[in-house]
Amino acid sequence: GLMCLHVDDIYWAGDRSFDKEVVQALRDKFPIGKESSWEFEYLGLLVKAELDEMQRMFITVSQRHYVEKVEAIDVQGTRRQDQSMAGKSQHEAYMALVGKLLWLAGQTRPDLSFLVMRLAQKSSKPSVADLHQANSVLKRAQRDDVYLKYVHVPLSKLWLLAYSDAAWANLENGKTGGGYIVGLAGDTEYNIINWRCRALKRVVRSTMAGETMALGDLLDEVENVQHTLKQLLGDHLHAVARTDSRSVYDHVHFGRQVGEKRLLVELQALREAQKEKRMGIEWCSSEQQLADALTKSMVAWRLINVMKTADIHNMHQSAAKPWTHRRKTVSRPEVARKDIPVTMGFNERSVARRR
């Protein structure tokens, strides 16, 4: 069994012997105010255990109740493109909202991580336009029914699968954004257990440098997860990291020369990890890059599909992906773009200006 403790809140999972020998001893020793199972809230996370059609148990974790209580910033009477600085009260409201969104993105919504990171970078001097952007991210979080699903994976088939990505010079002051996702994998099962999205520690000169540093950050995280799981499971899990940078893959596997000397140390660390079988490094296409949404502003359909199904094969699941116009929402499979009137969502003056 396993037990987690936060102040006086206890979360545990285990078999009947663990309940009888460990948990019952706590019940006898300390007064228990409330005890719940199958569906409950723990530190703002809604945890539900359910059975699928094959009577196999799975667990979902979401923050639906939490995000519904978050209030948007009052921006009445302002314009979306207003670049003037926010007032003091608006600044305080912005800081509060970004803090709540950071908690959401860090606990159950990796699909929002990049958008929230961009908002956090503006925290010192947000503009009125940034206030509108923060409200838009909150609206997306409240609108989309997104959660993390966890399914059973036999220990004999358990391994670590991680994705790393970077987007060169896509942040403030020429900084490069990097991100990774780590999950417990089986045959097709994929349980996301950790992710991170942030600006890399230094300004880099090329896309390859950014991808290398992001992969180096992932190596540190994978080794930490391996050490933790070894204490829990008693076994060292095999780990594989996937990158969509062909140049990084070639340098790690074939030792090709690199022009930027500061990259030599990072590349050598990745080569050693590959050689010592601490973390294998594989190449994947951009369409297979699960961490893509952690470095770019996009609707993370591939990531959301995997989050909600815990199946890596559902990354490319076809679905009706709604795209929102200013006045109307249309599903792509139902209405093609060419069938939509030119004037939809625009007033006559703006259409005339475009013409």
Side-chain angles (χ1 to χ4, degrees):
L2 176 68
M3 183 175 292
C4 304
L5 178 65
H6 179 80
V7 191
D8 59 351
D9 291 330
I10 299 176
Y11 178 96
W12 70 272
D15 55 19
R16 293 181 179 178
S17 62
F18 184 78
D19 183 17
K20 183 178 179 180
E21 298 174 11
V22 179
V23 180
Q24 187 58 46
L26 290 175
R27 294 190 186 103
D28 297 338
K29 184 72 173 180
F30 303 100
I32 305 297
K34 182 181 178 181
E35 190 171 355
S36 303
S37 59
W38 287 92
E39 182 175 349
F40 54 89
E41 282 196 34
Y42 183 74
L43 303 181
L45 306 180
L46 178 61
V47 182
K48 293 178 64 176
E50 303 178 68
L51 298 175
D52 62 13
E53 62 276 3
M54 302 294 292
Q55 296 301 303
R56 296 172 299 188
M57 181 181 290
F58 65 91
I59 297 173
T60 61
V61 182
S62 70
Q63 289 176 282
R64 167 58 57 188
H65 295 168
Y66 169 80
V67 74
E68 286 176 350
K69 299 176 183 177
V70 180
E71 296 182 358
I73 305 171
D74 184 6
V75 290
Q76 291 186 1
T78 63
R79 301 181 62 183
R80 287 183 172 273
Q81 305 302 323
D82 189 351
Q83 296 298 324
S84 61
M85 292 297 101
K88 183 178 179 180
S89 60
Q90 290 177 323
H91 189 183
E92 293 174 351
Y94 181 86
M95 294 283 287
L97 178 55
V98 170
K100 294 174 182 178
L101 290 174
L102 282 170
W103 170 253
L104 176 68
Q107 296 298 309
T108 59
R109 296 296 299 270
D111 58 300
L112 300 177
S113 294
F114 179 77
L115 298 175
V116 177
M117 181 192 68
R118 292 289 297 268
L119 295 175
Q121 290 186 323
K122 306 289 185 65
S123 294
S124 59
K125 295 182 179 180
S127 65
V128 174
D130 295 328
L131 305 182
H132 283 276
Q133 182 62 29
N135 282 346
S136 297
V137 176
L138 174 61
K139 184 177 180 180
R140 177 187 293 189
Q142 294 175 332
R143 177 194 63 203
D144 299 338
D145 182 22
V146 180
Y147 50 85
L148 287 168
K149 182 179 179 180
Y150 295 94
V151 297
H152 172 69
V153 181
L155 288 178
S156 59
K157 299 181 178 181
L158 194 62
W159 57 293
L160 284 173
L161 175 59
Y163 292 84
S164 168
D165 193 34
W168 181 63
N170 66 329
L171 302 178
E172 298 288 327
N173 301 320
K175 293 183 178 180
T176 297
Y180 59 74
I181 293 177
V182 182
L184 291 171
D187 291 333
T188 63
E189 303 90 351
Y190 190 70
N191 300 309
I192 298 175
I193 59 174
N194 202 5
W195 59 90
R196 188 170 187 180
C197 170
R198 66 165 188 169
L200 298 182
K201 295 179 181 179
R202 65 176 176 86
V203 176
V204 296
R205 296 166 54 187
S206 64
T207 300
M208 178 187 169
E211 296 280 3
T212 302
M213 291 192 64
L215 199 55
D217 289 343
L218 175 58
L219 173 60
D220 293 340
E221 178 61 25
V222 164
E223 291 183 335
N224 178 55
V225 172
Q226 285 176 321
H227 179 72
T228 302
L229 292 177
K230 186 175 182 179
Q231 291 181 318
L232 295 173
L233 306 175
D235 195 11
H236 183 83
L237 291 185
H238 174 64
V240 171
R242 291 177 178 171
T243 175
D244 58 359
S245 173
R246 191 75 194 190
S247 55
V248 173
Y249 174 85
D250 288 344
H251 279 81
V252 170
H253 284 268
F254 308 116
R256 297 180 179 176
Q257 296 296 319
V258 58
E260 190 174 347
K261 294 184 178 180
R262 285 186 292 182
L263 285 182
L264 293 176
V265 176
E266 286 91 348
L267 286 170
Q268 184 58 34
L270 295 175
R271 291 193 195 102
E272 288 182 359
Q274 167 80 19
K275 184 177 180 180
E276 297 170 3
K277 298 182 179 180
R278 289 183 283 122
M279 184 180 77
I281 298 175
E282 297 179 353
W283 177 83
C284 66
S285 66
S286 298
E287 291 74 20
Q288 297 172 322
Q289 179 54 269
L290 197 62
D292 210 24
L294 273 66
T295 60
K296 301 170 184 65
S297 180
M298 59 185 293
V299 180
W301 290 108
R302 291 195 295 267
L303 177 56
I304 290 175
N305 282 337
V306 175
M307 290 169 58
K308 297 178 67 172
T309 62
D311 191 330
I312 198 66
H313 285 180
N314 285 333
M315 185 188 304
H316 306 292
Q317 177 181 342
S318 60
K321 304 174 183 179
W323 58 278
T324 304
H325 214 286
R326 192 172 297 180
R327 290 185 184 173
K328 189 174 182 180
T329 301
V330 188
S331 291
R332 286 177 176 169
E334 299 174 2
V335 181
R337 286 181 181 271
K338 64 182 180 180
D339 297 327
I340 300 175
V342 177
T343 57
M344 181 188 299
F346 300 95
N347 56 40
E348 296 180 358
R349 182 178 300 176
S350 63
V351 172
R353 191 182 303 120
R354 284 171 175 264
R355 291 175 179 172

